[in-house]
Each structure stands twice: as structure tokens, then as C-alpha cells.
Amino acid sequence: RQSEYGKGDASDPKLGEILHQFGIDPDEVGRMTIDGIKNQDYYIITHSNIRDLVDKRHREASLALDKTDAWHQRVKR
């Protein structure tokens, strides 16, 4: 990451260690990707242990959409 954009998480050596612990064989990732493309999957997720993070982000996005809907309702009045 270019320094003008600040330090990114990927530059943290501990992140590399964590990723190595949970890594998947590149050939397996390749097979998952090819299967996903053949099935026209929009998302191809290699690690199901991120489900809680995905659920949290989904809830946050849904709340933001609720706020957008409420804003539009106020503006229409």
C-alpha cells in the first residue's frame, strides 16, 4: 500500500501469521473458484469462519438502508 494512503492491515506481520494458520491449499481454492464460476455464483467464499463478520456487515448495511428509506420519507413530506 502506498504510504500516502496510510498503513494498511495487510502490512501487519501478525496478519500474515493468522492467514497462514487458516490458509487453504491454492489448488482447492482454484477448484472452488472454477465450480463457483460454472455455477454462476456471485460470491465465492473460501472460509466459512467469516460468517459472523458477514452477518454483522449485512446487519449494518440493512440499518443504513433503513436510514436512507426514512430520510426519503422525510424529504417527500
Side-chain angles (χ1 to χ4, degrees):
R1 184 174 203 177
Q2 295 174 346
S3 61
E4 66 224 49
Y5 298 111
K7 181 180 174 184
D9 290 338
S11 63
D12 184 351
K14 289 184 181 184
L15 177 62
E17 293 173 22
I18 292 169
L19 291 175
H20 183 70
Q21 290 174 356
F22 293 104
I24 295 178
D25 181 273
D27 290 333
E28 184 175 351
V29 172
R31 287 189 297 273
M32 291 174 75
T33 302
I34 289 169
D35 285 346
I37 291 169
K38 286 180 179 178
N39 293 323
Q40 297 181 348
D41 293 336
Y42 189 74
Y43 296 102
I44 302 167
I45 299 174
T46 58
H47 292 72
S48 62
N49 61 338
I50 66 165
R51 181 178 304 274
D52 290 341
L53 174 63
V54 171
D55 288 343
K56 179 180 182 270
R57 295 270 174 100
H58 180 264
R59 285 189 304 274
E60 290 170 353
S62 290
L63 289 172
L65 287 168
D66 291 343
K67 289 179 181 181
T68 299
D69 289 341
W71 183 88
H72 284 289
Q73 289 300 318
R74 285 192 312 271
V75 171
K76 287 181 182 179
R77 293 182 182 170

